[in-house]
Amino acid sequence: LLSSGHAQGDFVPNYDESKIPPYALPDPLQRTDGSVIKSTSDWEKRKKEIFEYFQREVYGISPVWDGKMEVREISKNESAIGGTAIRQELKLTLSREGRSLDMFVLLYLPKSAKASPVFLGLNFYGNHTVTDDKDILVTGAWIRNNETYHSENNRASEKGRGLRKDAWPVEEIIGRGYGVATLYYGELDPDFDDGFKNGVHALYPQQRDSSSWGSIAGWAWGLSRMMDYLETHAGVDKKKVAVLGHSRLGKAALWAGALDERFAMVISNNSGCGGAALSRRKFGETVGRINTAFPHWFADRFKSYNDRENELLVDQHQLIALMAPRPVYIASGVEDTWADPKGEFLGGLEASPVYGLFGKEGMPVSEMPAVDQPVMGTIGYHVRSGGHGLTRYDWKQYLEFADKHWGK
Ligand code: GTR
């Protein structure tokens, strides 16, 4: 699907449980000074410590938004999806100190309610690939060349229209009473290593250092700007916006959930290394591998943990813990071994004590469930049959999970 980085250099992924190096996970409920967290107010201090560590050492520090956002509606269809939905395309222009960036948001809202809960997620190949809707704009932004989705010379084309609709079952989402908002992720930051000259980083052209924001933080930051807009929309129930993402965008969704508590639910689909999977397991993709294949995704400092995962004062379960007590869903594919399904499960399981502090059940089971047997506590989890991808099966569980937590 995407450049994978599996086969670069002489990296050989480990897929053998018995070869996982011994490791001890940092305790989310113990501060670095040794004190133990026993209350939700103490947790606030610990949470800050963990968050700042992830920011400085892993994803990089993103700026506080201090610019101006202009919104222009570029299309509206009052009778989309067989008359059940309103579809809008919005151009959000961010500007600051004479620089600007355009984001083209595609939004479907059910007509069945005045204000609806919304799933918000970035897409990989452009808004026009998400549905068959004829008049949705084809992105003009840089895009990776891909035969399946018909992007050539780093430009998207009309021929890609509707080709990703399996990953975005809009009709079903609307039918269940939810809205869906999406944006092509390359409009926020084109996914190649350009020294951060373009995308959102260009809005903040100051000197960079080893803790400056990488691309994942850039995508996450853009999700917050979309949220800024959704909050102003009368048709959106702003207390019920779920941020969702697949793979690298699942990593971005998790980081967005950590950065921005307006996201009331967070969904990580096959997010793997640097997402929900524990780094210390070194199963499939590793910190060293990801930083080599994608040197622009994380803060530069993260590279100092290549092959030294044990030196990190956090692991990815603490990223999940930062969402507490909000509902989080983690999904794996059984054949997606590169993303380490078991490591993704453990990321959720090991975050659960923090949910306990809030009187909530995190992961409702202590052993990884069987294939295609979803479990839903305040942390939800499934490992479905098949490999890497965002599927109808995955969405079916996310809709269930949202119904469960949002009382539908
Ligand atoms: C892979 C990468 C993964 C994941 C995936 C994707 O090549 O190694 O971390 O992000 O791409 O985004 O599909």
Side-chain angles (χ1 to χ4, degrees), residues 133-154:
D133 235 338
K134 288 283 172 284
D135 39 347
I136 294 167
L137 207 84
V138 176
T139 182
W142 179 94
I143 198 160
R144 180 178 304 98
N145 291 334
N146 182 293
E147 276 183 34
T148 312
Y149 302 107
H150 301 284
S151 44
E152 264 175 54
N153 304 316
N154 300 119

Side-chain angles (χ1 to χ4, degrees), residues 2-5 124 247-248 251 273 285 290 294 297 338 388:
L2 291 159
S3 66
S4 71
F124 278 102
S247 202
R248 66 196 67 186
K251 308 178 210 296
C273 180
E285 187 171 32
I290 204 167
F294 306 102
W297 280 5
W338 181 245
H388 197 62

